[in-house]
Amino acid sequence: MKLLHLLRLTFFACILCVPSIKAQDYFFKDKAPFNPEIPSPEEFLGYAIGEQHTRHDQIVAYLTKLSEVSDRATITSYGKTHENRKLVILTVSSPENLNKLSELKQQHLAFTKPSESPTNYDEVPIFVQLGYNVHGNEPSSSEAAMLMAYTLVASNSPEVKNYIENAVLFIDPTINPDGRDRHTQWANQYKGNPLVSDGYDAEHNEAWPRGRTNHYWFDLNRDWLLGINPESRGKLKWYHEWYPNVVTDFHEMGTNSNYFFEPMKPIGSQDPIMPKENYEGLNDLFAPYFSKALDNIGSFYFTKEAFDGTYPGYGSSYPDLQGGLALLFEQASSRGHLQDTDYGTISFPFTIRNQYISSIATVKAAVENKGRLRKYQRDFFKSAVENTLKKGSEAYEFGDAYDQNRNKAFIDKLLLHKIKVYKKGNRFVVPVKQPQQRMVQTVFETYNKYRDSVFYDASAWSLVNFYNIKYQATKSSDFGEEITSTNGLVNVSTVPRSNYAYVMDWDDYNAPAALYFMQSKGLKVASAFKPFSSITSEGNRSFNYGSVMIPVSKQKKTSDEVYAIIKKAQAKFDVPIYFANSGFSTSGIDLGSQNFRKLNTPKALLLVGEGVNSYEAGEVWHLLDTRMHMPITKLRMNRFGAVPLKKYNTLVMVSGRYSQLDSLKRKKIKDWVSQGNTLITIAGASKWVIDKKLVKEKFTKKEKDTSNTKAVKRLRYADAQENIGREELGGAIFEVDLDITHPLGFGYRDSSVPVYKNNEVFLAPSKNPYATVAKYTDDPHIDGYISTDNYENYLKPSASLIVSKLGRGRVIMFADNPNFRGSWYGTNRLFLNALFLGNHIFVPKIKE
């Protein structure tokens, strides 16, 4: 009790070594008595919660044990991570509720169906999903998940019995197991005895890429909308099966912070998609429960000042668009077991207890307000079929006639979010009036006006632009036939055998993957640097820039072997491939033209390690691994001096500091590029090559005010942070004009392309008239916030993509990120063109 009294008087407390019974009393003494036949986390693990970091497999094993020994719990798996770790949910309720869970589920789902009007708000148990540890190195919540599971399964207190009788609780202990185990290993291996609280100790400073992200270094708390990774896709499938009323999202933040719970800062959108009752009424309803619970244990906290729920891809915002209430919690992190702060020390058990207490408070609030939550959920889905989009349209019609696989990827994303899609001839239709109407808005609507200009993350997320899908609003109510699966959505005719040549259309998203497959099997291929038409197995057909020709007689394989590889490539990637039995074209270049250029197989190197933006590096790795099935060598920065660059023909550098690359290493890169190789730089790396004078390109500069009358305007000190934040570009979508005759533009049919910008890298157009591949249009804004100064004086005059000649080689410079969060199918092709065609780009020499 002395320890508890000390915690009531101070913000942080140091918990070095607590006897086992007291250690468990520290968390949940008030929840006694406990069923002695149910093992506590300490009894199962062999150590008290908070004494060390618990591996994910141990967490799963403990929850599995609870499901085996208790009739209050069952465990299910909703998927596996990239590293093959199980994703599990422990369902906890009273034995009576679990025995009729299927019946309760149907009663619960009736509130999500606009065609039904249930009024039994207080008769159905409330469904609560407790989600923990989406950021792997924010570990306190997974430990709290075990405490929560034990409490709900083993406690016989009247309070807990009331909870399980009136709620069905779904505990997801670790949303990001791969990242968690990366951090767990680090924290445990550097744990001292006695504990070391010095913030400079290795325990508190993970090595790159750190544990926040998943296997491919993706932030899973940005992936709910994008649905790129198996962790998110599995969770979304589970979510749309159950539609919980309340969802928690537990995080950690800086060590010197206090605890945060909602409400957040006022929402940034001028006309938020989510109902006002959600972000004001329900948040204000739950907040007193959290404040009372934290006041009781002496923990300090804050609300309303930070974070925002604008971006719909957070765990604390996506459920808000599904008729539920999502709740964000942020705990100051011990970043290990014990760390110094401005107020003394903060311990791992202390951080765990705050998360546990908030979990209990969430359940209490949900149970005591289940009637209001259920009525809100019913009204949410009913309003979805009553409201219309701001443009008054009945539906959105879309489709790319030249790229079936990009269409398929986009439709897959719509179906993942349970958005109804129909096929009408060669086009696709998404009606507005449907239960997922707010998700339809999220996917198709764009904005240029905001109530607040400072966003915690992105300010634009119209998915239709991510995929560069051309679309239009329509008032037609003839939608066609509903699509329920993407299986069979892509139809390509099997290519007949040829003894002369094959031609693969480069317009299809999967074409680069098929190309690499053929190259890896030893086929020699060439790219068409000018369009042509040829007689094929399907008659006279026009082929775009970049179309790939495979000449049969020039191979070192028999025609049968070539055909077998071609067929496998087509079957594996569903790409259009045609046979040609003559080199004579009906228009354009012939198959023997010098404008067909033999393509070298990419041998790519990606710099990773300290100082490199792990998100952007992971996006490159993920794209090539999971979609192109192409290896890329990930070279850690500290090994750069030893690597023989001559083994590679392409080097990729993403945003980063690159302070480890001294003048000698920079010369090594420059000499290698000059020998005819390709350096691809993305965003911050493009700035780096200019700053370090590897290229002669420049940044866009604002015209100087020559009036000499400009006075410094006096501003309020309290507004400084907000004013500075308004000039940051958190993430918006802009239109560029792309030169589709340039090799980097091959595969595009329309020169208007949306790009994503979340940086302040503004490249001046090249002085070489042939080297500015993509430039922002005269009125480039599509979606999202950008300050007037950045828009008018920096973005508009700038280039998005340029190629800079360096000796016999070239530097391909992206101002924007073409692979952002693994979701930009519309600009992936620009990056892939740089990989596959970069070494064949000729930069015409001009007079200086």
Side-chain angles (χ1 to χ4, degrees):
M1 294 303 297
K2 182 177 179 182
L3 177 60
L4 223 78
H5 179 66
L6 181 61
L7 281 166
R8 294 180 193 275
L9 297 177
T10 60
F11 168 39
F12 293 130
C14 170
I15 302 173
L16 294 175
C17 182
V18 186
S20 60
I21 295 178
K22 290 184 179 180
Q24 301 311 307
D25 286 352
Y26 173 68
F27 296 110
F28 43 57
K29 182 180 180 181
D30 62 333
K31 300 298 183 290
F34 289 90
N35 183 344
E37 296 182 3
I38 307 295
S40 69
E42 179 178 352
E43 290 169 333
F44 183 84
L45 298 170
Y47 58 84
I49 290 292
E51 284 188 0
Q52 70 179 55
H53 293 248
T54 307
R55 296 193 318 269
H56 176 67
D57 65 296
Q58 295 174 295
I59 295 171
V60 172
Y62 178 62
L63 298 192
T64 301
K65 183 67 175 180
L66 293 181
S67 72
E68 292 170 348
V69 299
S70 172
D71 58 0
R72 293 185 186 180
T74 61
I75 194 167
T76 56
S77 173
Y78 65 88
K80 289 187 176 182
T81 71
H82 284 294
E83 296 177 12
N84 214 34
R85 292 182 174 88
K86 288 177 66 175
L87 297 159
V88 301
I89 284 183
L90 185 77
T91 304
V92 184
S93 194
S94 68
E96 295 76 19
N97 286 341
L98 289 182
N99 286 335
K100 57 178 182 179
L101 185 57
S102 178
E103 177 186 341
L104 292 177
K105 179 181 182 182
Q106 296 310 311
Q107 294 178 29
H108 163 73
L109 291 178
F111 290 89
T112 70
K113 297 175 180 178
S115 60
E116 300 186 27
S117 301
T119 56
N120 54 335
Y121 308 124
D122 292 305
E123 298 173 16
V124 184
I126 201 74
F127 282 31
V128 179
Q129 202 262 309
L130 301 170
Y132 301 93
N133 208 174
V134 67
H135 291 148
N137 60 359
E138 299 176 6
S140 57
S141 66
S142 279
E143 308 286 345
M146 288 188 285
L147 296 174
M148 194 67 185
Y150 175 63
T151 300
L152 295 172
V153 168
S155 172
N156 286 316
S157 70
E159 175 192 1
V160 173
K161 283 187 174 181
N162 178 53
Y163 295 157
I164 63 173
E165 287 170 4
N166 288 282
V168 177
L169 301 140
F170 303 97
I171 299 175
D172 187 343
T174 318
I175 299 171
N176 179 11
D178 292 351
R180 177 181 176 85
D181 276 2
R182 195 158 63 240
H183 174 263
T184 294
Q185 174 65 19
W186 182 273
N188 286 339
Q189 79 178 57
Y190 281 103
K191 175 186 175 183
N193 187 16
L195 298 179
V196 179
S197 61
D198 186 349
Y200 290 104
D201 186 73
E203 180 187 356
H204 310 299
N205 296 277
E206 295 172 85
W208 193 96
R210 290 166 273 285
R212 177 183 176 92
T213 51
N214 76 342
H215 172 79
Y216 283 108
W217 311 329
F218 276 65
D219 185 335
L220 293 179
N221 196 42
R222 307 296 189 271
D223 201 41
W224 280 68
L225 173 65
L226 307 176
I228 295 299
N229 294 279
E231 299 93 335
S232 306
R233 294 183 68 87
K235 189 61 172 286
L236 285 165
K237 182 179 179 181
W238 178 92
Y239 191 96
H240 287 284
E241 179 184 349
W242 293 94
Y243 289 102
N245 299 94
V246 179
V247 178
T248 63
D249 186 24
F250 287 94
H251 291 261
E252 293 183 9
M253 53 183 167
T255 300
N256 280 306
S257 303
N258 290 314
Y259 198 74
F260 173 87
F261 58 83
E262 297 196 41
M264 302 179 185
K265 62 180 291 188
I267 201 162
S269 296
Q270 186 175 26
D271 185 20
I273 292 176
M274 66 187 69
K276 189 174 183 179
E277 184 182 355
N278 177 285
Y279 58 87
E280 288 189 3
L282 295 181
N283 275 159
D284 292 341
L285 179 68
F286 272 59
Y289 288 88
F290 305 133
S291 62
K292 182 178 180 181
L294 294 166
D295 287 343
N296 286 340
I297 61 171
S299 286
F300 282 71
Y301 50 84
F302 68 100
T303 64
K304 301 179 289 292
E305 299 175 39
F307 308 106
D308 71 72
T310 310
Y311 171 61
Y314 302 132
S316 59
S317 59
Y318 184 85
D320 292 332
L321 298 181
Q322 301 296 332
L325 173 65
L327 296 165
L328 172 68
F329 301 92
E330 294 272 356
Q331 165 64 48
S333 180
S334 62
R335 287 285 184 261
H337 296 83
L338 183 71
Q339 190 171 172
D340 296 333
T341 77
D342 292 342
Y343 290 87
T345 54
I346 182 172
S347 71
F348 193 31
F350 176 86
T351 69
I352 296 166
R353 188 168 71 150
N354 279 345
Q355 308 282 42
Y356 168 73
I357 291 297
S358 296
S359 299
I360 290 290
T362 298
V363 176
K364 178 179 174 66
V367 166
E368 293 184 1
N369 295 282
K370 67 178 181 177
R372 181 170 176 180
L373 290 165
R374 286 214 168 277
K375 184 178 185 303
Y376 169 77
Q377 186 177 50
R378 187 200 69 174
D379 294 346
F380 177 95
F381 283 103
K382 277 192 173 297
S383 67
V385 297
E386 296 167 358
N387 297 341
T388 57
L389 292 187
K390 62 182 181 179
K391 296 177 182 177
S393 57
E394 293 290 334
Y396 285 105
E397 188 175 296
F398 67 90
D400 191 304
Y402 299 99
D403 192 345
Q404 292 190 66
N405 277 299
R406 188 155 44 85
N407 287 336
K408 177 182 176 181
F410 180 57
I411 292 170
D412 170 78
K413 199 58 51 71
L414 299 178
L415 296 179
L416 185 64
H417 295 297
K418 298 302 177 182
I419 296 173
K420 291 182 180 297
V421 188
Y422 297 80
K423 187 172 185 184
K424 182 181 178 183
N426 293 323
R427 303 283 289 172
F428 303 97
V429 181
V430 173
V432 171
K433 290 187 176 182
Q434 59 171 295
Q436 289 295 337
Q437 181 249 356
R438 291 177 178 86
M439 289 304 296
V440 174
Q441 288 182 262
T442 297
V443 170
F444 289 97
E445 282 192 358
T446 59
Y447 300 86
N448 59 11
K449 293 181 180 180
Y450 298 89
R451 188 204 59 77
D452 188 1
S453 55
V454 181
F455 290 82
Y456 182 67
D457 192 74
S459 66
W461 45 80
S462 49
L463 287 184
V464 69
N465 285 301
F466 283 42
Y467 288 77
N468 188 24
I469 297 288
K470 309 303 178 186
Y471 68 103
Q472 62 182 12
T474 176
K475 292 190 175 181
S476 171
S477 57
D478 179 15
F479 302 143
E481 182 181 353
E482 184 174 1
I483 296 172
T484 58
S485 170
T486 58
N487 292 334
L489 197 60
V490 176
N491 291 304
V492 293
S493 299
T494 302
V495 59
R497 185 179 179 281
S498 173
N499 289 319
Y500 191 81
Y502 300 92
V503 181
M504 179 176 69
D505 200 328
W506 191 244
D507 293 344
D508 193 275
Y509 184 85
N510 284 355
L515 169 60
Y516 183 78
F517 177 84
M518 291 186 282
Q519 289 180 317
S520 69
K521 300 300 181 182
L523 293 189
K524 297 180 178 67
V525 299
S527 175
F529 274 53
K530 287 189 177 181
F532 64 100
S533 296
S534 182
I535 300 297
T536 73
S537 50
E538 298 185 17
N540 190 37
R541 183 170 184 86
S542 297
F543 291 96
N544 195 16
Y545 290 95
S547 295
V548 175
M549 188 263 293
I550 304 99
V552 176
S553 64
K554 292 181 179 293
Q555 309 296 331
K556 293 183 178 180
K557 299 178 182 294
T558 66
S559 60
D560 287 342
E561 290 172 331
V562 172
Y563 183 51
I565 294 171
I566 296 292
K567 282 207 304 182
K568 285 182 181 178
Q570 184 177 45
K572 186 177 178 68
F573 299 105
D574 280 330
V575 291
I577 302 179
Y578 308 88
F579 92 138
N581 278 338
S582 172
F584 184 79
S585 298
T586 56
S587 67
I589 61 174
D590 294 321
L591 300 193
S593 168
Q594 292 299 308
N595 283 298
F596 271 101
R597 300 184 187 173
K598 180 181 176 299
L599 297 181
N600 297 322
T601 304
K603 297 178 181 178
L605 188 69
L606 171 68
L607 289 186
V608 302
E610 293 298 338
V612 175
N613 185 311
S614 60
Y615 296 142
E616 292 183 14
E619 290 155 7
V620 171
W621 180 23
H622 175 270
L623 172 66
L624 299 184
D625 254 26
T626 65
R627 295 186 200 148
M628 298 301 110
H629 305 276
M630 167 186 161
I632 185 169
T633 299
K634 302 175 293 299
L635 179 68
R636 296 190 74 92
M637 294 286 290
N638 59 6
R639 292 283 297 159
F640 182 79
V643 68
L645 288 182
K646 63 182 180 181
K647 287 182 60 178
Y648 311 95
N649 54 28
T650 307
L651 172 63
V652 181
M653 296 177 68
V654 300
S655 297
R657 296 190 302 273
Y658 296 105
S659 55
Q660 295 185 50
L661 298 180
D662 57 24
S663 59
L664 290 177
K665 292 174 183 174
R666 295 197 296 271
K667 183 178 183 301
K668 179 179 179 179
I669 293 174
K670 192 170 185 178
D671 290 346
W672 171 81
V673 174
S674 298
Q675 293 166 8
N677 295 299
T678 300
L679 171 62
I680 303 172
T681 60
I682 294 175
S686 296
K687 181 179 185 301
W688 182 83
V689 294
I690 294 176
D691 287 340
K692 298 303 179 183
K693 302 187 183 333
L694 270 71
V695 295
K696 296 180 180 179
E697 307 300 336
K698 296 181 179 180
F699 301 112
T700 299
K701 292 184 178 180
K702 183 178 180 179
E703 292 186 12
K704 293 182 178 180
D705 183 355
T706 58
S707 64
N708 295 322
T709 60
K710 187 176 180 180
V712 176
K713 182 180 178 181
R714 184 168 173 258
L715 300 172
R716 283 166 33 94
Y717 176 81
D719 297 335
Q721 186 173 354
E722 294 288 309
N723 290 339
I724 293 170
R726 287 189 183 97
E727 295 305 313
E728 295 179 358
L729 188 47
I733 302 172
F734 302 99
E735 179 188 52
V736 299
D737 178 66
L738 176 68
D739 180 0
I740 60 176
T741 74
H742 192 284
L744 294 180
F746 285 1
Y748 289 86
R749 294 275 179 164
D750 191 329
S751 62
S752 173
V753 178
V755 300
Y756 190 83
K757 190 168 192 67
N758 64 337
N759 60 56
E760 283 120 52
V761 177
F762 299 106
L763 301 179
S766 175
K767 291 183 178 180
N768 187 317
Y770 304 102
T772 300
V773 183
K775 186 185 183 303
Y776 302 105
T777 59
D778 293 338
D779 184 20
H781 183 271
I782 295 177
D783 193 11
Y785 171 79
I786 182 173
S787 71
T788 301
D789 183 44
N790 277 333
Y791 187 60
E792 296 293 340
N793 298 309
Y794 293 99
L795 184 94
K796 278 187 173 184
S798 296
S800 175
L801 174 59
I802 61 178
V803 181
S804 189
K805 182 177 175 62
L806 184 55
R808 292 187 291 110
R810 78 289 303 153
V811 181
I812 299 173
M813 304 169 64
F814 288 89
D816 312 312
N817 183 358
N819 308 311
F820 183 68
R821 291 181 180 165
S823 300
W824 274 82
Y825 280 69
T827 52
N828 281 161
R829 173 54 57 85
L830 297 173
F831 177 75
L832 294 170
N833 282 345
L835 274 179
F836 284 92
L837 302 171
N839 286 300
H840 307 279
I841 293 175
F842 167 68
V843 184
K845 188 174 182 180
I846 61 169
K847 294 181 180 180
E848 296 288 339

